[in-house]
Amino acid sequence: MSDPTTFDPARRKPRPRPLLRTLVGDVLRRTRREQGRTLADVARTARVSMPYLSELERGRKEASSEVLAAVCDALRIELADVLDEVRRGLIDTRATQRAAKAPVIRLDAARRRRAPAHRDGDVQALAA
């Protein structure tokens, strides 16, 4: 399945949007690894199959609310904390997209615009 996109009229190209399942999976995997736990351990505790948990962590599967609650319980984290991390990821993605749109000004062009044309006999002072 392809990622949903939004249309950016200024660029005339579709701009990819992050998927919720990908961001949730990233948070679950990062949390599990920070705890030093194995996929098998968390899957067993959450009562889901190890391949299914792997698919969730990789953002390939959408977790139902029941499965997500079971995985959160197995990781001993609150669902609200997972969603807060996802929110931060969305904010970071949006900031990165805005930064990518910012115009790039070449240094030599900026210097040419700022440097006044001097005439013979003018004295220029340089600040260090």
Side-chain angles (χ1 to χ4, degrees):
M1 177 180 218
S2 63
D3 290 344
T5 57
T6 58
F7 185 72
D8 183 356
R11 293 174 51 192
R12 300 251 181 237
K13 289 193 248 179
R15 181 182 58 203
R17 276 191 182 172
L19 294 175
L20 182 61
R21 68 175 185 240
T22 304
L23 296 171
V24 168
D26 289 344
V27 172
L28 295 176
R29 175 171 278 175
R30 186 173 50 250
T31 302
R32 178 181 60 77
R33 286 181 172 172
E34 286 171 356
Q35 292 177 2
R37 296 178 64 194
T38 65
L39 198 59
D41 172 43
V42 175
R44 184 175 45 255
T45 306
R47 296 180 179 253
V48 297
S49 73
M50 193 171 65
Y52 184 71
L53 181 57
S54 175
E55 293 283 301
L56 290 178
E57 285 187 353
R58 290 185 289 143
R60 302 275 174 97
K61 297 281 185 187
E62 264 327 313
S64 69
S65 57
E66 292 85 2
V67 169
L68 189 54
V71 173
C72 287
D73 286 347
L75 291 169
R76 298 180 302 277
I77 57 174
E78 294 295 323
L79 177 59
D81 294 333
V82 171
L83 296 177
D84 188 49
E85 286 292 320
V86 168
R87 179 188 64 82
R88 287 187 208 150
L90 288 169
I91 290 170
D92 290 346
T93 300
R94 194 170 58 198
T96 301
Q97 287 173 344
R98 274 197 303 257
K101 290 182 190 177
V104 176
I105 300 172
R106 293 179 49 107
L107 185 57
D108 58 340
R111 285 181 180 154
R112 280 193 302 267
R113 275 188 258 152
R114 280 190 284 150
H118 68 84
R119 293 167 292 206
D120 290 337
D122 284 351
V123 177
Q124 292 184 349
L126 299 176

